[in-house]
């Protein structure tokens, strides 16, 4: 009996050592993939602990996916060494209390969306630029606004321009650069000033003095920019006119998304701006019902999510997606 106990203890030690060695290898590989370097040993220990918590969370969640108990998977991605609190607190949208909002923004209501297509994806029309990466700057509002302008200009002109987010970060006085902004304010700026090409005003992840050159900017005849009041109008706008900008709560679970239809936990208080480039519906065999989703382009690089994209459940106001929906009509 005594020998059996000793063998059990030895086996447990071996298993723990093996698990620890495996995590060491995973940690080193993850740091290499995302080029992570830490200034002090204490900092690395703290980040390693946060990363291990994330790793466990992702494994547990993906087991639920394998069992058919959730509709999306997670990944140990570039945000894995952040704590849950840090991921939940990231914010690149300004509230109305922090920043004045342009007054009298019209609301565009689409009376009936029964006749719109069942699915839309503007990537198929080659009118969506490559996924970009805002980096450490809280400039999602600029990326989302510029992305919508790029797509809507392409739909009108049949030419896809890559435009400058840095111009908005540096020059849009109605917003706060890397400290956040509001898409309708940015749409107002675009309508008045136009946007330079990205190659002529390159992105730097920081806010600098404005280097806007009016003669180098693409000017638009913006007939109007407007808010969209609900998911029916949002779908009609996407189907009939092109991509739109929305605000969402980029929650802890959103940060770790990999693929599938996101139905995770989040609030209705937006802290991040993204672009809806389409929508669709897929059948859930387990529950024998359809689930509607939005196709969303994020600005966290191609390494996040599904090559930079996420499908989010539609017609549920998930993550407050209806609260800041907006777009513009323009003529090149």
């Amino acid at each position: 009996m005594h020998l059996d106990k000793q063998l059990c203890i030895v086996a447990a030690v071996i298993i723990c050592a093996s698990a620890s060695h495996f995590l060491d290898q995973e940690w080193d590989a993850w740091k290499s993939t995302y080029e992570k370097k830490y200034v002090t040993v204490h900092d690395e220990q703290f980040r390693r602990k946060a990363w291990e918590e994330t790793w466990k969370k992702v494994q547990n969640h993906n087991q639920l996916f394998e069992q058919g108990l959730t509709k999306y998977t997670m990944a140990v991605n570039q945000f894995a060494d952040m704590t849950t609190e840090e991921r939940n607190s990231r914010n690149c949208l300004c509230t109305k209390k922090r920043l004045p909002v342009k007054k009298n923004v019209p609301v565009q209501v689409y009376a009936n969306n029964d006749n719109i297509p069942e699915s839309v994806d503007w990537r198929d029309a080659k009118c969506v630029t490559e996924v970009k990466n805002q980096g450490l700057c809280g400039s999602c509002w600029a990326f989302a606004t510029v992305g919508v302008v790029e797509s809507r200009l392409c739909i009108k002109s049949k030419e896809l321009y890559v435009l400058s987010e840095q111009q908005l970060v540096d020059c849009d006085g109605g917003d706060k650069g890397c400290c956040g902004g509001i898409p309708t304010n940015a749409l107002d700026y675009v309508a008045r000033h136009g946007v330079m090409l990205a190659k002529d005003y390159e992105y730097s992840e920081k806010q600098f003095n404005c280097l806007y050159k009016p003669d180098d900017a693409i000017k638009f005849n913006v007939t109007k920019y407007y808010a969209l009041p609900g998911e029916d109008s949002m779908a009609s706008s996407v189907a009939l006119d092109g991509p739109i900008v929305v605000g969402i709560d980029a929650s802890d679970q959103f940060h770790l998304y990999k693929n599938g239809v996101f139905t995770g936990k989040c609030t209705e208080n937006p802290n991040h701006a993204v672009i809806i480039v389409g929508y669709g519906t897929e059948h859930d065999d387990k529950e024998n019902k359809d689930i509607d989703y939005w196709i969303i382009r994020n600005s966290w690089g191609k390494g996040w999510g599904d090559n930079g994209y996420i499908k989010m459940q539609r017609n549920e106001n998930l993550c407050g997606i209806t609260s800041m929906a907006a777009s513009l009509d323009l003529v090149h």
Side-chain angles (χ1 to χ4, degrees):
M1 184 68 69
H2 182 66
L3 180 59
D4 289 344
K5 287 184 179 180
Q6 286 183 325
L7 289 174
C8 287
I9 292 172
V10 170
V13 169
I14 292 172
I15 291 171
C16 289
S18 177
S20 177
H21 180 65
F22 173 76
L23 282 179
D24 286 342
Q25 291 179 320
E26 290 284 293
W27 170 245
D28 290 338
W30 178 85
K31 285 193 298 179
S32 176
T33 297
Y34 294 103
E35 299 180 346
K36 296 281 185 172
K37 295 180 180 179
Y38 303 99
V39 177
T40 66
V41 173
H42 180 269
D43 187 30
E44 177 156 359
Q45 289 174 340
F46 179 82
R47 292 301 162 193
R48 167 69 183 260
K49 183 178 179 182
W51 177 88
E52 286 191 15
E53 290 299 318
T54 301
W55 188 88
K56 293 174 185 176
K57 179 183 295 185
V58 169
Q59 308 313 310
N60 291 336
H61 177 89
N62 289 347
Q63 285 180 5
L64 295 177
F65 177 81
E66 294 296 329
Q67 296 166 15
L69 300 177
T70 184
K71 295 176 174 58
Y72 67 100
T73 62
M74 287 182 175
V76 183
N77 60 20
Q78 67 263 46
F79 303 114
D81 64 345
M82 299 172 68
T83 66
T84 296
E85 292 74 20
E86 286 174 326
R87 287 190 288 263
N88 281 329
S89 65
R90 293 180 80 238
N91 195 334
C92 58
L93 287 181
C94 288
T95 64
K96 294 179 181 179
K97 293 180 179 179
R98 287 180 56 206
L99 189 66
V101 181
K102 298 296 180 183
K103 296 181 179 179
N104 302 318
V105 176
V107 176
Q108 178 74 37
V109 179
Y110 289 77
N112 191 319
N113 71 345
D114 290 342
N115 295 322
I116 64 173
E118 292 184 359
S119 64
V120 171
D121 188 343
W122 283 103
R123 292 174 295 181
D124 296 338
K126 310 299 182 185
C127 273
V128 179
T129 53
E130 291 291 318
V131 171
K132 303 177 184 180
N133 194 342
Q134 70 187 72
L136 298 176
C137 174
S139 53
C140 63
W141 59 274
F143 277 80
T145 300
V146 166
V148 167
V149 173
E150 289 170 338
S151 290
R152 295 229 169 182
L153 179 59
C154 174
I155 292 166
K156 293 293 185 181
S157 69
K158 308 304 179 186
E159 186 170 356
L160 185 60
Y161 297 92
V162 182
L163 302 177
S164 172
E165 293 84 11
Q166 190 67 37
Q167 179 188 330
L168 273 67
V169 171
D170 291 346
C171 308
D172 179 5
D175 291 296
K176 291 185 176 294
C178 288
C179 295
I182 296 176
T184 49
N185 288 1
L187 289 171
D188 179 76
Y189 172 87
V190 168
R192 289 184 289 110
H193 298 281
V195 188
M196 294 171 62
L197 295 174
K199 66 181 181 64
D200 296 328
Y201 202 151
E202 295 181 350
Y203 187 64
S204 61
E205 292 189 40
K206 296 180 180 179
Q207 184 175 7
F208 295 100
N209 292 330
C210 180
L211 301 176
Y212 167 65
K213 298 178 181 179
D215 291 343
D216 292 341
I218 297 176
K219 302 294 178 60
F220 316 106
N221 178 10
V222 177
T223 57
K224 63 180 177 179
Y225 61 92
Y226 47 85
L228 294 158
E231 290 188 78
D232 284 348
S233 287
M234 290 161 58
S236 292
S237 184
V238 172
L240 301 175
D241 300 316
I244 65 174
V245 57
V246 293
I248 57 169
D249 173 27
S251 64
D252 179 60
Q253 294 184 6
F254 179 95
H255 272 77
L256 301 175
Y257 169 86
K258 178 58 181 176
N259 55 35
V261 179
F262 181 77
T263 57
K265 293 181 180 179
C266 50
T267 73
E268 293 186 2
N269 302 313
N271 60 16
H272 185 55
V274 291
I275 308 166
I276 293 179
V277 303
Y279 61 82
T281 302
E282 65 181 47
H283 189 71
D284 185 331
D285 292 329
K286 183 176 179 61
E287 297 185 12
N288 194 28
K289 67 177 184 180
D290 292 336
I291 180 168
D292 299 328
Y293 60 82
W294 296 110
I295 304 169
I296 290 176
R297 195 190 86 169
N298 201 356
S299 53
W300 292 345
K302 292 183 179 180
W304 177 86
D306 189 358
N307 293 311
Y309 284 83
I310 181 173
K311 291 180 180 178
M312 289 187 66
Q313 188 173 16
R314 179 163 56 101
N315 296 325
E316 297 288 342
N317 190 30
L318 186 65
C319 303
I321 199 169
T322 64
S323 60
M324 298 182 75
S327 198
L328 79 170
D329 292 339
L330 56 81
V331 179
H332 179 43

